[in-house]
């Protein structure tokens, strides 16, 4: 893949997202993720977004899978430094924001 080629579709990747414990369960992570996805699509023309989540992180997994509709693409063994596995997750985002961008 040539990153300099304007014809090459881009993918976004969420490296890290956290919300201070006292502000959890207020919908902030969902809003942050939605805005990040929108920016990836609108500003960079990203087609997809990917992320990794610890297998043991039930709350984050539920957010990504059930609320934000990410799909599990793979389980990466010993992904984290402490040896824990991670779900590799991906979501198509381009179509979600295409109609919004066309109306601008």
């Amino acid at each position: 893949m040539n990153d300099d080629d304007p014809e090459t579709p881009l993918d976004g990747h969420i490296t890290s997202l956290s919300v201070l414990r006292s502000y959890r369960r207020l919908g902030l992570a969902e809003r942050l993720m939605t805005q990040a996805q929108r920016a990836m699509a609108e500003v960079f023309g990203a087609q997809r977004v990917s992320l990794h989540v610890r297998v043991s992180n039930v709350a984050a997994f539920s957010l990504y899978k059930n609320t934000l509709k990410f799909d599990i693409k793979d389980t990466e063994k010993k992904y984290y430094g402490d040896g824990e596995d991670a779900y590799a997750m991906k979501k198509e985002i381009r179509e979600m924001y295409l109609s919004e961008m066309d109306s601008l």
Side-chain angles (χ1 to χ4, degrees):
M1 179 194 317
N2 181 356
D3 291 338
D4 296 328
D5 182 358
E7 299 301 314
T8 302
L10 299 175
D11 290 351
H13 183 78
I14 302 294
T15 303
S16 180
L17 174 76
S18 65
V19 174
L20 191 63
R21 227 178 258 284
S22 57
Y23 288 93
R24 291 182 187 165
R25 310 230 12 108
L26 299 174
L28 296 176
E30 181 181 359
R31 286 187 195 165
L32 287 167
M33 287 293 296
T34 300
Q35 289 300 315
Q37 291 172 78
R38 176 173 285 133
M40 287 177 197
E42 291 177 358
V43 177
F44 299 105
Q47 303 285 321
R48 291 164 294 279
V49 62
S50 63
L51 56 82
H52 291 86
V53 63
R54 286 179 179 270
V55 170
S56 66
N57 192 340
V58 177
F61 178 77
S62 178
L63 171 71
Y64 301 137
K65 177 80 173 137
N66 301 326
T67 304
L68 296 170
K69 307 302 182 198
F70 276 74
D71 296 316
I72 300 170
K73 294 301 177 189
D74 196 10
T75 301
E76 296 192 27
K77 301 293 182 191
K78 299 182 180 181
Y79 178 81
Y80 291 100
D82 62 2
E84 186 172 354
D85 298 347
Y87 292 122
M89 303 184 81
K90 194 168 266 194
K91 178 180 178 179
E92 298 289 326
I93 60 171
R94 183 77 176 153
E95 296 301 317
M96 292 174 55
Y97 302 107
L98 197 53
S99 61
E100 290 179 24
M101 291 186 295
D102 288 342
S103 66
L104 295 178

